[in-house]
């Protein structure tokens, strides 16, 4: 048997580093948190090679006293906690006193700092070896540089992805932090190119606009509620601004971004009836609650938090969003939420008491919860009279979303959106393949404000967009203009198409033909008639006739079925006629 020995501190640090520092994005996050804890007015972030070669964070905050520099890089040394009870009421982003020690273990770390009214000093740590404190005469504040992450740990370095992938994670970390601290000015530069330049924002909406474009921000709905102890404030997207991915879903508590499946589940439930399966709403929510109701010390990288009463937040989110939608023209489309599935695994806070829906959430105005009231259903008589769909086929639109067709040997029920989306997709695909997409020049080009990341996507995919009939041109600053769109897109605005496509491109890790498909799916999805669109008999007719194009595959591009068939034999059997 080997003898048991206490590990040397350097080994302990390196093990801890594995928990805190996973990739450049974790370095960005830790350095940003340190900068923010120092009370800065601005923070500048610079990366090289996705952050693998360099992460530099410069702040104009309170700085570090020269004699404290060695402590700043020592494990379990912090200026933010003194006694164990402080853990119960953490008011800073950092508190463990291990981020810099961990980073210094797996990279070359250089800190230069000057507190106001004092001389500055610098200190370097390389693979755990701490150098001497030297004088430094810079501006007030702190600059921290992390060079060659995992340069001394080849095994960890091998796990890093391509610089482009690391960059996108690092940029996400920046975006989350910048969202959480609108009053601080930020910038982000990658390989010498400035990607974000965010002035201090007066409102949260302004910060969202700075990061994602002002047209997106202007369309968001503001929500605010308070159940006496927990307050929530933020913005949610209109259903028609739905997304293919979760990139625009952000939760914060006390200036800290966090992940929480349970709260996102409540959001999904609130949107029930408003979104198609697989589509994601935009949400930015900030929670305020007493410090003893939330524990931030549950995750090594502080990505998750634990709430004392998770179901309370669940109910608050559900009720707040629902009452917002009920008060709008979307109210009639809402579908009652389903009871959450208990024990779906995941974090602690994703466990929801199964009796949650027995104790319905309190509505802000004390009224009956909105989803208990029956949603107004379109009446049957609203359907158009039967349209001639082809020889021997009668077709009727029902509930403004389904078309029922009498076929030679039964009935077919068509999802109008799914079918139309599929048709548009097939046609676009065929014409792109033939190099003959019929594009329509716009008399008035549409302007679009984009985020810097979206500008990059446009630059990268101009050709693919062009092949699909969409000409997108730079217009200066963060604005592009769309000068043409495919004729097949009908009345759908070019801006809507481009937004959807960018959204998909940023979520996709595809390339080549798969990328083109992603673009076509996005366009087809936005251009297709929606559930809820009333159709004229001629339109019903055309759709039913054209469905033969996709007869061989009854699925829309998302993989949702486009139609259901009931044969006469099925019907006869159901009614016991045979
Ligand atoms: N940019 C900065 N400005 C001022 N002080 C800083 C800065 N960065 C680090 N420090 C000082 O260095 C100490 C150590 O930082 P470190 O990130 O290692 O620990 P922490 O922030 O206290 O806790 P955590 O490990 O949870 O991040 C901090 O407590 C703080 O006093
Ligand atoms: Mg820290």
């Amino acid at each position: 048997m080997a003898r048991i020995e206490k590990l040397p501190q350097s080994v302990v640090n390196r093990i801890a580093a594995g928990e805190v520092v996973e990739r450049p994005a974790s370095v960005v996050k830790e350095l940003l948190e340190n900068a923010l804890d120092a009370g800065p007015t601005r923070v500048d972030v610079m990366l090289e090679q996705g952050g693998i070669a360099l992460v530099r964070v410069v702040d104009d905050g309170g700085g570090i006293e020269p004699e404290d520099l060695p402590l700043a890089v020592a494990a379990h040394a912090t200026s933010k906690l003194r006694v164990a009870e402080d853990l119960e009421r953490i008011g800073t982003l950092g508190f463990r006193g291990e981020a810099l020690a961990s980073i210094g273990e797996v990279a070359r770390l250089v800190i230069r700092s000057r507190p106001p009214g004092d001389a500055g000093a610098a200190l370097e740590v390389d693979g755990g070896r701490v150098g001497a404190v030297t004088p430094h005469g810079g501006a007030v504040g702190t600059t921290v540089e992390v060079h060659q992450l995992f340069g001394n740990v080849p095994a960890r370095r091998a796990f890093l992805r391509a610089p482009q992938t690391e960059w996108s994670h690092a940029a996400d970390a920046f975006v989350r932090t910048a969202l959480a601290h609108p009053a601080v000015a930020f910038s982000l530069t990658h390989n010498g190119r400035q990607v974000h330049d965010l002035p201090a924002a007066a409102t949260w909406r302004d910060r969202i606009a700075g990061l994602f474009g002002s047209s997106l921000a202007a369309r968001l709905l503001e929500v605010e509620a308070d159940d006496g102890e927990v307050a929530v404030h933020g913005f949610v997207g209109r259903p028609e601004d739905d997304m293919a991915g979760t990139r625009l879903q952000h939760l914060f508590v006390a200036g800290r971004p966090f992940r929480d499946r349970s709260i996102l589940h409540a959001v999904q439930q609130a949107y029930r009836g408003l979104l198609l399966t697989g589509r994601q709403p935009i949400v930015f929510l900030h929670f305020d609650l007493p410090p003893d109701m939330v524990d931030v010390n549950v995750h090594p990288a502080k990505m998750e938090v634990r709430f004392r009463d998770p179901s309370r937040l669940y109910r608050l989110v559900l009720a707040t969003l629902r009452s917002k939608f009920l008060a709008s023209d979307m109210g009639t489309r809402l579908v009652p939420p389903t009871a959450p599935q208990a024990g779906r695994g995941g974090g602690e806070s994703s466990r929801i008491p199964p009796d949650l829906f027995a104790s319905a959430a309190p509505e802000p105005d004390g009224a009956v919860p909105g989803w208990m009231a029956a949603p107004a259903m379109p009446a049957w008589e609203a359907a158009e009279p039967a349209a001639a769909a082809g020889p021997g086929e009668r077709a009727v639109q029902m509930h403004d979303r389904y078309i029922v067709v009498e076929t030679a040997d039964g009935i077919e029920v068509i999802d109008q959106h799914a079918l139309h989306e599929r048709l548009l997709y097939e046609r676009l695909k065929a014409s792109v393949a033939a190099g003959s997409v019929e594009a329509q020049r716009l008399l008035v080009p549409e302007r679009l404000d984009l985020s810097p990341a979206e500008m990059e996507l446009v630059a990268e995919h101009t050709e693919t967009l062009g092949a699909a009939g969409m000409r997108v041109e730079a217009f200066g600053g963060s604005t592009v203009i769309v000068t043409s769109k495919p004729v097949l897109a009908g009345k759908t605005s070019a801006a809507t198409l481009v937004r959807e496509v960018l959204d998909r491109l940023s979520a996709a890790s595809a390339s080549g033909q798969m990328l083109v498909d992603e673009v076509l799916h996005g366009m087809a999805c936005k251009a297709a008639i929606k559930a809820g669109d009333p159709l004229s008999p001629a339109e019903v007719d055309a759709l039913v006739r054209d469905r033969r194009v996709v007869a061989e595959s009854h699925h829309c591009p998302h993989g949702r079925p486009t139609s259901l068939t009931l044969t006469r034999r099925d019907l006869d059997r159901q009614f016991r006629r045979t």
Side-chain angles (χ1 to χ4, degrees), residues 30 34 80 94 99:
E30 293 297 337
N34 281 350
K80 303 170 191 177

Side-chain angles (χ1 to χ4, degrees), residues 113-277:
S113 190
R114 185 153 85 82
D118 208 334
L123 178 67
E124 196 173 315
V125 185
D126 195 352
R129 284 183 305 280
V130 183
V133 176
T134 55
H136 156 75
V140 168
T142 305
T143 297
V144 181
E145 289 177 0
V146 175
H147 297 265
Q148 304 300 338
L149 183 63
F150 300 138
N152 59 339
V153 200
R156 299 289 306 277
R157 196 172 175 109
F159 277 97
L160 290 179
R161 307 281 298 277
Q164 195 56 33
T165 311
E166 295 302 340
W167 154 241
S168 97
H169 287 284
D172 281 349
F174 172 90
V175 165
R176 280 194 293 273
T177 311
L179 269 174
H181 299 271
V184 177
F186 286 90
S187 76
L188 176 65
T189 303
H190 185 219
N191 292 342
R193 223 173 55 78
Q194 191 173 72
V195 180
H196 284 290
D197 183 15
L198 307 166
T203 66
W204 206 19
R205 201 192 281 267
D206 289 347
R207 175 52 51 90
I208 293 171
L211 283 163
F212 306 111
S214 38
S215 45
L216 180 141
R219 292 180 51 75
L220 295 174
L221 306 169
E222 186 159 11
V223 290
E224 189 155 25
D226 190 335
D227 76 355
E229 249 182 318
V230 183
V232 58
H233 168 243
F235 296 94
V236 298
R238 293 169 195 276
E240 56 273 29
D241 292 331
D242 60 354
M243 309 273 296
T246 57
R247 199 170 50 91
L248 291 185
Q249 298 185 339
H250 292 276
L251 307 176
F252 304 89
V253 60
R256 191 188 290 285
F258 70 101
R259 297 184 302 219
D260 190 299
R261 293 187 27 198
S262 151
I263 292 176
L264 289 181
H265 190 260
V267 169
Q268 299 282 357
Q269 290 295 315
Y271 274 90
R272 255 173 72 86
L274 301 180
L275 296 180
L276 283 175
T277 312

Side-chain angles (χ1 to χ4, degrees), residues 225-494:
D226 190 335
D227 76 355
E229 249 182 318
V230 183
V232 58
H233 168 243
F235 296 94
V236 298
R238 293 169 195 276
E240 56 273 29
D241 292 331
D242 60 354
M243 309 273 296
T246 57
R247 199 170 50 91
L248 291 185
Q249 298 185 339
H250 292 276
L251 307 176
F252 304 89
V253 60
R256 191 188 290 285
F258 70 101
R259 297 184 302 219
D260 190 299
R261 293 187 27 198
S262 151
I263 292 176
L264 289 181
H265 190 260
V267 169
Q268 299 282 357
Q269 290 295 315
Y271 274 90
R272 255 173 72 86
L274 301 180
L275 296 180
L276 283 175
T277 312
R279 302 296 293 176
Q280 296 289 338
I282 301 175
V283 269
F284 299 95
L285 296 177
H286 191 281
F287 297 91
D288 268 311
L289 61 175
D292 63 327
M293 285 185 70
V294 52
D295 186 356
V296 296
N297 188 21
V298 293
H299 187 277
K302 308 184 188 99
M303 307 283 244
E304 283 165 13
V305 300
R306 186 179 322 178
F307 295 106
R308 205 178 65 203
D309 188 359
S311 63
R312 184 176 190 139
L313 277 91
Y314 190 101
R315 281 196 295 264
L316 181 66
V317 167
L318 184 55
T320 307
L321 268 58
R322 279 261 146 172
S323 46
K324 184 79 192 181
F325 299 148
L326 277 169
S328 75
D329 54 346
M330 300 163 222
T332 54
R333 287 157 56 197
L334 289 173
V335 171
T338 55
Q341 307 132 297
R344 279 173 309 128
E348 181 69 25
S349 52
S350 70
R351 264 181 250 144
I352 297 298
D355 67 328
L356 183 62
F357 283 80
S359 56
E363 283 290 280
D365 56 1
V368 182
W371 58 86
M372 287 188 169
M377 276 291 182
W380 275 78
E381 53 272 22
E384 293 286 342
E393 290 188 334
R394 280 180 295 166
V396 186
Q397 185 193 31
M398 290 178 182
H399 294 294
D400 282 351
R401 61 179 65 194
Y402 299 114
I403 296 170
V404 180
V405 189
E406 181 190 22
T407 59
D409 71 344
I411 316 178
E412 197 176 335
V413 185
I414 296 172
D415 177 321
Q416 65 184 38
H417 170 77
L419 174 63
H420 194 216
E421 175 173 351
R422 178 81 205 190
L423 284 167
L424 288 176
Y425 169 76
E426 294 293 349
R427 285 188 195 137
L428 277 166
K429 192 169 161 169
S431 49
V432 168
S436 63
V437 174
E438 211 183 325
Q440 165 194 354
R441 265 201 91 75
L442 301 177
L443 285 176
V444 185
E446 289 182 43
R447 285 174 58 137
L448 208 59
D449 292 323
L450 298 181
S451 73
E454 289 170 330
M455 288 294 282
E456 264 190 58
L457 278 176
V458 168
E460 205 177 316
H461 299 292
T462 310
E463 221 173 290
T464 310
L465 292 168
M470 286 190 290
R471 281 184 69 97
V472 185
E473 295 164 21
F475 194 68
S478 60
T479 307
V480 295
I481 52 171
V482 193
T483 58
S484 80
K485 65 175 184 181
V487 171
L488 279 174
K491 286 192 292 245
T492 310
S493 87

Side-chain angles (χ1 to χ4, degrees), residues 30 33-34 37 80 93-95 97-100 302:
E30 293 297 337
E33 290 188 356
N34 281 350
D37 280 343
K80 303 170 191 177
L93 297 171
F95 52 83
E98 62 180 11
L100 291 181
K302 308 184 188 99

